[in-house]
């Protein structure tokens, strides 16, 4: 009984006082608290095809924690915390959907276009090689092995991560073109070679596992407020309406949240390359050992909820 009352008081303390300077700290504290409740921890656990409704979850938390529904500030803050959690659920399921979409270069025009963008991103930065330039205009004869695929039919490489792997490669080469080109160039050296594209797909798989392990929740919480304010500011003159505690229902907010995940992907790829160069392996046989070392380093940075 004492533990139950203590838990109830903790939720009230977190969500109804001015103790916290930012919403991100409040959200984090709220999530940590309900993750310890057997009746409420479902809202912190990511499950495929399961996205809770904020209003239902709010009623549930109020009932379980016996909160005062007349305390408007308390109720609004609990709703905000739940919406931040729901946003992570929405991102997780959107990412899983992309993973489930099989890559098809020959039959899917959208996939072909993304591959074109990937190619152009990597050959138009810096000093492109003659070998790259000679294939720039003919997608049917491009040597995809030049970008670190195992063959000229990349379908096999994408099999595990689906179109998600391609989306993240395109994001990296679009948002950080100089870095991506530097890594591609470095990956092609005869000593210390590693496959650029295949490595990226491995990093996609790792990022997804970090998300599933609830290691990225805190990062999303820290960005929740800025996502909402950014969307509100950029669309202030577009007859645009967004409730502050309903960001998870807004497609623009969800896309911005997905970009946070893609930025983490970019950071990890750059960290992998720094580690690879530091270890200076003789050949690709060192890849599993170095990649496992990378995973350990990254998991140390992103702690579970």
């Amino acid at each position: 009984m004492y533990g139950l009352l203590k838990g109830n008081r903790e939720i009230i303390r977190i969500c109804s006082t001015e103790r916290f300077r930012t919403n991100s700290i409040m959200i984090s504290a709220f999530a940590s608290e309900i993750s310890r409740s057997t009746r409420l921890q479902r809202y912190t656990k990511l499950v495929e095809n399961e996205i809770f409704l904020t209003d239902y979850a709010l009623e549930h938390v109020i009932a379980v924690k016996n909160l005062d529904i007349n305390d408007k500030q308390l109720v609004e803050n609990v709703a905000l915390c739940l919406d931040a959690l729901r946003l992570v659920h929405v991102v997780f399921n959107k990412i899983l959907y992309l993973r489930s979409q099989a890559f098809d270069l020959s039959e899917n025009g959208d996939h072909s276009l993304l591959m074109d963008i990937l190619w152009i991103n990597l050959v138009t930065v810096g000093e492109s090689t003659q070998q790259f330039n000679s294939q720039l205009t003919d997608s049917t004869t491009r040597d995809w092995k030049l970008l670190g695929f195992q063959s000229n039919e990349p379908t096999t490489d994408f099999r595990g991560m689906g179109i998600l792997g391609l989306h993240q490669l395109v994001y990296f080469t679009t948002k950080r073109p100089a870095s991506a080109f530097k890594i591609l160039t470095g990956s092609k050296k005869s000593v210390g070679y590693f496959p650029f594209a295949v490595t990226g797909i491995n990093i996609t798989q790792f990022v997804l596992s970090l998300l599933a392990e609830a290691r990225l929740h805190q990062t999303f919480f820290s960005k929740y407020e800025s996502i909402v304010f950014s969307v509100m500011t950029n669309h202030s003159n577009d007859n645009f309406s967004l409730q502050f505690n309903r960001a998870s229902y807004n497609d623009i907010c969800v896309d911005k949240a997905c970009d946070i995940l893609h930025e983490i992907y970019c950071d990890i790829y750059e960290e992998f390359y720094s580690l690879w160069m530091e270890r200076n392996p003789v050949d690709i046989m060192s890849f599993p050992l170095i990649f496992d070392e990378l995973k350990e380093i990254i998991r140390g940075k992103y702690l579970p909820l």
Side-chain angles (χ1 to χ4, degrees), residues 40-87:
L40 299 177
Q41 62 186 203
R42 71 179 73 171
Y43 303 121
T44 65
K45 293 185 176 181
L46 300 176
V47 179
E48 187 170 2
N49 296 324
E50 288 189 16
I51 304 175
F52 64 85
L53 299 176
T54 302
D55 289 338
Y56 169 81
L58 179 60
E59 291 178 2
H60 189 203
V61 172
I62 289 173
V64 170
K65 295 298 185 180
N66 194 27
L67 303 180
D68 182 3
I69 61 173
N70 294 314
D71 187 336
K72 292 184 178 180
Q73 187 63 60
L74 172 63
V75 173
E76 287 179 5
N77 284 342
V78 171
L80 183 147
C81 292
L82 287 168
D83 188 66
L85 279 165
R86 186 180 187 276
L87 183 61

Side-chain angles (χ1 to χ4, degrees), residues 248-262:
S248 67
Y249 293 87
N250 181 275
D251 290 342
I252 302 175
C253 290
V254 172
D255 287 342
K256 285 186 173 294
C258 287
D259 285 349
I260 291 171
L261 189 72
H262 300 328

Side-chain angles (χ1 to χ4, degrees), residues 101-118:
Q101 301 302 297
F103 173 78
D104 190 338
L105 181 60
S106 60
E107 298 294 332
N108 192 304
D110 291 339
H111 297 181
S112 178
L113 177 60
L114 285 171
M115 290 295 285
D116 287 344
I117 294 171
L118 178 64

Side-chain angles (χ1 to χ4, degrees), residues 145-159:
K145 290 183 290 185
L146 292 173
L147 301 191
F149 290 100
Q150 295 184 80
S151 71
N152 286 330
E153 176 46 72
T155 302
T156 302
D157 293 323
F158 286 120
R159 188 166 295 161

